[in-house]
Amino acid sequence: GDDGEGEPILEPERAIRNENDTDEILHEAPCKLFGYDKVSSEWKDTGKGTFRITRSPDTQKQRMLVRNIIGKITFNAGFYKNMEITVQEGKKASIQFAAFVAVEETVKDPTTSLPTTVTKTELKTFMIKLKPTDVAQTAAKIRDSIASL
């Protein structure tokens, strides 16, 4: 498995799953995750991992996650109506999409003037680079999840 950058993408069999995670895995594929930085107008590499589409057994709500090699979640977002994806097939196989993610920001507390951390939800653009053989199926699964809303 080669993603064109000389480093193999993590195989899903070796990906770690959290024992407390009861969500059903609908799809998974090894990937490299990038976030678009509006300030520098560049894609920032946020690391390799396993892209997953999961469904909660209780709410039936579907989400997208990326877990890195040590099992830490590096991306976690829900699907939303009219969500669009851009698919690139072939050697530079990737899927781009905008997702609402939690962003932590340090702000000054208006009462105490001390720094405090607030979590906001922001729409950010992401790209997952995949093996060319995984792109069509992953894109189809994302589209199915969007259609299920």
Side-chain angles (χ1 to χ4, degrees):
D2 193 308
D3 60 10
E5 296 191 23
E7 301 172 61
I9 295 178
L10 182 70
E11 295 299 329
E13 303 81 59
R14 288 193 302 245
I16 295 169
R17 183 185 169 104
N18 183 336
E19 281 68 53
N20 310 328
D21 193 355
T22 57
D23 286 4
E24 177 191 357
I25 296 173
L26 302 179
H27 180 73
E28 66 180 359
C31 76
K32 199 167 186 184
L33 177 70
F34 294 82
Y36 189 73
D37 184 327
K38 286 184 187 144
V39 180
S40 66
S41 300
E42 289 178 335
W43 288 102
K44 301 282 186 200
D45 184 344
T46 53
K48 292 179 182 187
T50 302
F51 174 80
R52 288 195 177 127
I53 297 173
T54 63
R55 179 171 51 210
S56 161
D58 312 327
T59 64
Q60 295 299 301
K61 204 171 170 184
Q62 296 183 23
R63 315 191 56 72
M64 297 177 281
L65 308 169
V66 174
R67 272 190 197 277
N68 68 12
I69 193 162
I70 58 167
K72 181 177 184 268
I73 293 174
T74 56
F75 172 77
N76 181 356
F79 294 96
Y80 56 92
K81 279 198 183 311
N82 304 320
M83 181 176 169
E84 290 180 14
I85 65 171
T86 306
V87 181
Q88 187 172 336
E89 301 261 0
K91 205 166 160 56
K92 293 191 181 288
S94 67
I95 300 174
Q96 283 182 38
F97 50 85
F100 290 96
V101 291
V103 178
E104 286 191 348
E105 200 174 90
T106 303
V107 294
K108 198 182 272 192
D109 185 301
T111 16
T112 64
S113 293
L114 294 170
T116 182
T117 304
V118 291
T119 304
K120 301 187 306 189
T121 302
E122 275 183 26
L123 186 64
K124 292 188 167 244
T125 305
F126 294 91
M127 172 172 58
I128 50 170
K129 284 193 175 179
L130 299 152
K131 291 180 177 175
T133 49
D134 288 334
V135 172
Q137 192 186 10
T138 301
K141 294 285 184 189
I142 292 172
R143 289 189 174 112
D144 288 350
S145 297
I146 297 165
S148 76
L149 295 172

